[in-house]
Structure formats: C-alpha cells, structure tokens
Amino acid sequence: MLQIRLLLALCLCWMAGPLVAEPGRAGDEAASLTLDIPVLVAGYGAEFFEETAREFEKLRPGVRVHLHGDPRINDKVRTRVMAGDFPDATDAVLLYPRLIEAGRILDLGPALDGPNWEGTGRWRDDFRPSVLARWTAPDGRVHGVPFAHAIWTIFYDKALFRAHGWETPRTWDEFFLLCEKIEAAGIAPLSLPGVTMRYGDAILRAAHHNLVGPEGYAAYHALAEGARTDPRFIRAAEVLQRVSTRHLVRGWEGMTHTAAQLAFLEGRSAMTLSASWFANEMRGRLPEAFELGAMNFPVFEEGITSADTVQAQSGYYFLFRTGDPERERAAVDFFRFLTSRERVLRFAAVADAPTALRAAGPGHYSPRMADTAAILATAKAAFDAAPAPASAAQATLSQALTDARYLLMTGRMTPEEFGARLEAAAAVERRRAAEPDYVRARHKPKAALLASILLGLVMWLGWHGRWHARLARALAPARSSGPLQANVRDTNIGPAAAGAPVRPDAEPEHLGVLGAGKGLGFVGPAFGLYAAFVLLPGLCAFAWAFTRWDGFGEMSWAGRFNFRWLLLESDVFWSALKNNLFLMLVPPLVVVPVALGLAAYVHRGGLGAGALRVVLLFPNLLGGIAAALIWLAAYEPTSGLVNASLVAAGDLVGWLGGPRVVENWLHGFHGHAWLSQSNLYWSLVPIYLWMACGFNLVLYLAAMQAVPADLYEAAELDGASKPRQFFLITLPLIREILVISAVFLVIGGLNAFELVWLLTSQDPSAGVHTLGTFMVGTLFTEFQVGRAAAIAVLLFLMVLIASLAVLRATRKEAVEL
C-alpha cells in the first residue's frame, strides 16, 4: 500500500526530524559550511543551476552548495518541512504565508537594499518592475527572490501563417475567426494537453483578468463572495469552453503536454499553448528550420486591462531562518551571485528563457525566442499566473477547479454551472473558516451502507471464529479416545487428528520449550525495528486522523471531523471508492481466466509454450512507474502504438475485402483518447492484464505441475476429454492457488495508486481518483494532513476487514467423521 507507506514515512520523519542532523551541515572536510538547496527541475533542467553552484564554490572556497532536485521535489521538500527539517533555501511549492507567519522565512529586504553582486547598484534595482511585489509584505519585508520568469503565450508556426496569409489576432473575436480559417485549411487550430488539462487555465486566467482587472483578479483568489458567479467570470469560462470544444486537435483529451507540443511541431495544429520554457523543453525535437512565433493572449473589446499585459509565472526562492547568521549570509550571497549579470546572460544562453532580471534583453535570446522576448520587453503590466495558496482552504479549492474544469472543457457543463459549482465550493470554505467543524451531510445513506457492510463483516468474522472454536472443542474428546477419527484442516491438532491413538506417556513432538530470554533474543531485534519503523509511525498516523493540521502551523484537535467530512460531505471519497471497486472486480475477472487458460496451454506443452512463459513474465521485471510511462506512450492518440495498430488492422481488413463496418470501426480509433477521464478505467484493464498475467500464469502452472499425473492417466482410461479433465481434476486441485491470486488482485485494486496517478499527470479529477490518489493529493496538494491520515485509516480498515473476510470465506474446511 504505497500511499499508506508515504504517510508512515512522513510520520517517521516527523518523529525523527529533531534527532537527525540536517544533511551537509556538519562533518564536511572540504568546507566550513554546506548550503542545502533543493530545487524544482522541470522545464529548464538542472545543468545551469549545478554549474552556478560549482562557480560559486570557486569564488567562496569556504562554502559548499549542495544543490539538488528533480521534477517531484515539491513532495520531498513538503515532507521534510512538515517533519521540521528545513533546507537553507528552496523553490518548492509550500504554504509560505504560514511559514512567514511562523517566522521561518528570512526577510530579504535589507539585503535587497544593499549592493548587487557586481557592486554597481542596489540589488533590488536589478529586477524587473513589480516582480518583487508578489512576496513583499505591507511593512516592506521581502520574502521571495525571483529568478526564472516565464510568461504564458500562444505559440504559432510563422511559416504556416505566412503561407496562408493569416494574421495574429488582437481580440477574442478575431481569434475565433482565425480558428475557422485554419480549420478550413484542413488543420487543427490549437493543441492542448488533456491529460494535463490545467494548461487550459491560462486561457481562463487571461480572459478573466482582462475583464475584471487586478483588483477583481485578487478578489477571486481571496475567495470573495460572488467572484465566481460574476458575469465576467462566466464569460471567460465561455471562451475556454468554445476553444476546447470546437478548435482543439483531435484526441486532445488523451494527450500529454509533450504529445500536444509534438502535434504542433509536426504540423497537425497551427498553434499550441505553453509558457516560455517551451523552446528549452522541446530542445532536440524542435526542427532547425521551424519558425517559432509567439503571440500574447487576445483581449475583449471592452476589457479593462491593456493588451500588453502578460501572464507571468516567476520561480521564487525562499530562504529559511537557520539561527546561524553565517549560514544565512552565505545563502543570501549565493542568490546574489545567481542573479548577477553574468549568470543571467548564461541562463539566457543555456535555457533560452527569460529571467526576472533586467540584464538580459531581446538580443540575448535565440531567434526562436525573439517574439517572447519582445512581448516581455514591451509588457506594460503583468499578473501572476500561479499565485501560491495562502491557506489550506485555498489549496482545497484546486480539487474543485480540477473537477469542474474537466466538465467545462468537455462540454458536459455550461459556463454558468461551472461558475456556480466553484462558487459553492468557495462558500463552503468561507463558512468553514468561520465554523471549522461545519460539515454538509450529503451522503448519509452511503455512509450508513458502508458502515453496515463493514460492521456486518466484523460480526460474521467473530461468529465464524466462535463457531470454529466450539467445533474444535467438541471434536477434542473424539480425537483423544481414538475410535472416532476427525480431520479438521487449517488447525494444528497433531497426529490425533488423523485418528492415531494418543498415549499419555508419549513424548511431545517439539524439541523443548524455548525460554523467554532466548525467545526475546530471537524476536526482539526484529520486533524492535518493526515497531520503530511501522507500528509507531502507524499509531502516529492514526492519531493525526483526529487532528486539524496543514503541516506547517500548529496542530489542533478535530475529533471526528475528518471522518465526518469524508463520509458525509466529500463527493471525491465516494467517487474514489467506486473506482476502487471497479479495479477490485473487473481486472481480476479478466486476468484470472486469461492467465488460467494460458497456464493450461503451457502445461499441455503447446507450441511455443516456453517462449510464451518468458514473454508474459517480462512485464514483471518492470516497476509500476516504468510500466505507466510505457503505456502513456502507447496510448498517445495519434502516434501511439495502440491506435496505430488498430488503424493498421482496419487498413488490412479493407485490403482483404472484409466487412466495411469492421474497417470503419477500426479506422475510428484514429485519434481516440484512451487516457481521457471518461475512458481511463477501461484503458487500465489491458495494462493490468499485461502486468499481472505472467506472474499468475507461473503461479497457476506451478500448481498444475503439482497435480499427480496418474489422475490424468486414470481419467484418460475412463474416456474423459481434455476439457473434462481440466474442469474435474485440474480446477478443483488448484482452487486454493486461484483463490489466493484473486485475493491479491482484489487487494491490489483497493490499493491502486501508481497507474492512475501517473496516467493523469498527478492531477486526477474527482471522477478518476482512487482512495490512494485522493489521499496523496489531500496530503501534498491540499496540505490537509489530518484528512489524509483519516483516508489512510479508512483504507486500512477496509483492506483489513475485506482481506480477513475473503480469506475466511474461501478457506476450505472439511470435517470427516
């Protein structure tokens, strides 16, 4: 249960945090101090930042910079910070307002008023206008220093536009007219990733900000009442829906962001939506002759902001207070060096992307980034594309937006319904801020049914256990007297169970009693490790389930609130449980029969049996993450192996003169979005079959080979056919193995996490969540630690009770008298 292990790891880190020395802060022989700086490695890569660290070490021999990171650094840093292990600096996404309130973040105001790295002026004057304002408090304290400065734009193919005489639009009406012209030329206007559907938010933000201005945009993010049902917000939602339902490339719902960008580069769409890291991210795939253009988002004729306003997304670094002035000065010094003119120009050359500093101008970027640089240089204002959440309540709304966005962009919800749903979610969070224990009881029947089922299973297990014990006591006199023979399976009752007489003076079968001291010596170390790394963190997680904590502030007692919210109010919990039930039932119903049939074929020595065993077992050598990435590519709508094979099969049917309806049906899979949220779970069935079939085949084959051959020989003498032998001999004798494998598949469906998490780009909507992804998202995206612990407790109880019930129900117990 990977998701529960993550929570246990967080508990362990939280308990051990004060006892463990921070990495690199002592014992370094080559430097007097080591700065620990985890960074997010995404669109810009790590090369430049590692190079900067090494150059700084040359200039400051007494300082070593341990700069490290990967695309998933956010989750790792959140776990560390929640455990009280703070780095020196990071750009990971955290609840920084809470950390600032707690005095954990260093005030950079005095340093910014000091000299820059070159000593030619004030450090703050090196930055572009307004970029420091994002993390500047009313009293003048500055808590974040920006570096990379992306702007969201619409990229287009200049050569294609020139060949058709298309002009870049200024207004949204002109944009939609352009889309119709592009479609008339037989090309899709725009590509956008459906697997990473939040890219569409850039359109919503641009249209909304243009209509409401900076004050209205700030009110929206402050959860102001009526901001989401404002007619201007509804109109912005109409723009997003019109783009997504009419003008996107075919199969966009199943595209990753890389696939969507490749659709643009391969000429299947005339435009794509991304930020200024696009050129660096697609380096190596961007053809040399490709003329990349960039345009700002269109505006409304009645919009109140300038058409030159850009949608910016700066990467801010935050320096933590360590209590060591020398360390803090060294950390500030490193970021002064990072933002120096030489480093800024080097970043422009390496990453071909803009920064939040003035040093790099349009002439410092490649021709491909000329349009982006010009847009940035002439921008009259900017607004934040991704404002960090100020509280756990604001972070919780991200799930509501994810759910409503999917319905809006696929035409399943009107813009008015979209705004109403988001406003209702915001109203609940506003009320909960005033009444922390408020719960909307909307799922009482479902909660009562689930509780009844679990309670019923517990009562049945208790009754069955007492019946089994009474039966064993009733048979005890018969076993000891001898004439009555009993055989009770699954019990340890010695030779008397087979009817052998028991002599009073018989020697016991064991070699002797192991003393308490020796027993403790054997069991104690292993139990101590198990208790330290599993039991204690598990008890900690159980305790957290009754608290209200965002991981950064003070922990408070919440009682049963988290459980009441999950069972009575949360739509996501019940949707996730439904998806888990699908994975518990459907994949086993496919995997077990297929693996059983193949095992029988191999057991009978069919043609290619040895090769088949090796080929089917190969997927078990891959981890879940590798398998998910393979299928992510295979399910790509236009160039993936699955759709290409189905379309090729349609071509073959046509070439052979087969039925036209079959040919058309197979050709219909061109551009089919397997990974869209409406198709995702049925798309998981082939993945489960591919991953689990080989292991279960080997398991069943081993059981079949243990069946005595003389049984088959006797059946053949009696004239039994091969199928009859299989159903009357093989199946009954391998029944227990079939049950065990089915139980593991069912439990795996209840614990499903990796495939869904990766195939939805770590941003599943409520409709595709499992309990595992819901727990991880609640913990690391919504910062609701107590709620995530409550999900883990419920998941643990369901797995435990269901496993015991299935094992008890399928255990074969026979009494022969």
Side-chain angles (χ1 to χ4, degrees), residues 645-660:
S645 300
L646 291 170
V647 172
D651 294 337
L652 180 61
V653 171
W655 182 74
L656 294 174
R660 179 59 63 89

Side-chain angles (χ1 to χ4, degrees), residues 305 352 546 596 811:
T305 61
D352 202 16
F546 297 93
L596 184 61
R811 177 180 294 178

Side-chain angles (χ1 to χ4, degrees), residues 315-616:
Y316 287 87
Y317 291 88
F318 297 84
L319 282 63
F320 286 82
R321 290 188 178 276
T322 62
D324 183 347
E326 184 181 0
R327 296 189 62 81
E328 294 174 359
R329 284 194 298 269
V332 171
D333 211 25
F334 173 75
F335 282 95
R336 288 174 59 245
F337 176 66
L338 176 66
T339 57
S340 65
R341 177 178 175 80
E342 185 272 332
R343 287 287 88 195
V344 170
L345 297 182
R346 176 62 178 163
F347 182 79
V350 171
D352 202 16
T355 67
L357 294 111
R358 301 173 185 268
H364 293 101
Y365 303 103
S366 71
R368 291 172 176 167
M369 291 297 294
D371 286 2
T372 301
I375 292 172
L376 187 60
T378 58
K380 295 181 179 179
F383 67 96
D384 198 346
S391 66
Q394 289 184 358
T396 302
L397 284 177
S398 66
Q399 182 64 60
L401 177 59
T402 297
D403 301 339
R405 179 202 300 126
Y406 166 71
L407 298 173
L408 175 74
M409 293 181 66
T410 55
R412 293 174 170 87
M413 172 184 283
T414 66
E416 291 77 13
E417 292 170 337
F418 174 75
R421 175 172 290 197
L422 293 183
E423 182 62 32
V428 169
E429 295 305 325
R430 288 194 299 268
R431 179 169 178 179
R432 187 163 289 128
E435 304 175 42
D437 294 327
Y438 169 68
V439 173
R440 286 189 301 170
R442 297 186 300 165
H443 299 289
K444 284 185 177 181
K446 294 179 181 178
L449 178 62
L450 178 62
S452 300
I453 292 173
L454 295 179
L455 183 60
L457 288 174
V458 170
M459 294 175 64
W460 177 78
L461 287 169
W463 172 85
H464 197 281
R466 288 195 298 273
W467 175 85
H468 193 278
R470 287 198 301 269
L471 179 62
R473 287 195 299 269
L475 292 176
R479 292 198 299 267
S480 61
S481 61
L484 188 64
Q485 296 182 357
N487 177 24
V488 181
R489 300 188 182 183
D490 297 326
T491 57
N492 244 350
I493 56 179
V502 180
R503 304 196 321 269
D505 59 343
E507 291 292 332
E509 292 184 353
H510 55 73
L511 298 177
V513 177
L514 189 65
K518 293 180 180 179
L520 185 61
F522 279 110
V523 179
F527 179 78
L529 291 174
Y530 183 77
F533 290 98
V534 178
L535 294 182
L536 289 179
L539 292 174
C540 175
F542 269 77
W544 282 358
F546 297 93
T547 65
R548 186 179 285 107
W549 185 39
D550 58 20
F552 305 102
E554 293 295 325
M555 186 183 297
S556 61
W557 178 255
R560 296 174 297 141
F561 169 77
N562 292 321
F563 294 97
R564 291 174 57 243
W565 184 89
L566 289 169
L567 295 172
L568 299 178
E569 178 176 331
S570 176
D571 296 326
V572 184
F573 175 82
W574 293 105
S575 176
L577 183 58
K578 180 191 70 174
N579 292 331
N580 277 109
L581 290 174
F582 177 93
L583 295 178
M584 290 167 63
L585 297 176
V586 177
L589 290 176
V590 176
V591 171
V592 172
V594 172
L596 184 61
L598 291 173
Y601 176 80
V602 173
H603 181 57
R604 291 295 183 180
L607 182 64
L612 183 65
R613 178 164 27 181
V614 173
V615 170
L616 291 176

Side-chain angles (χ1 to χ4, degrees), residues 165 171 238 309 321 328 333 352 588 620 629 704 729:
T171 67
E238 290 173 352
T309 301
R321 290 188 178 276
E328 294 174 359
D333 211 25
D352 202 16
N620 292 97
L629 295 177
M704 291 177 183
I729 298 175

Side-chain angles (χ1 to χ4, degrees), residues 153-160 162 261 264-265 270-272 274-280 282 286-295 352 366-372:
T153 58
I154 300 173
F155 291 95
Y156 66 97
D157 185 341
K158 280 188 172 181
L160 186 65
R162 186 168 55 249
Q261 291 168 357
F264 165 63
L265 296 180
M271 300 176 287
T272 193
S274 188
S276 50
W277 55 67
F278 174 80
N280 183 71
M282 300 305 291
L286 196 60
E288 289 296 330
F290 194 91
E291 295 184 56
L292 184 65
M295 68 177 84
D352 202 16
S366 71
R368 291 172 176 167
M369 291 297 294
D371 286 2
T372 301

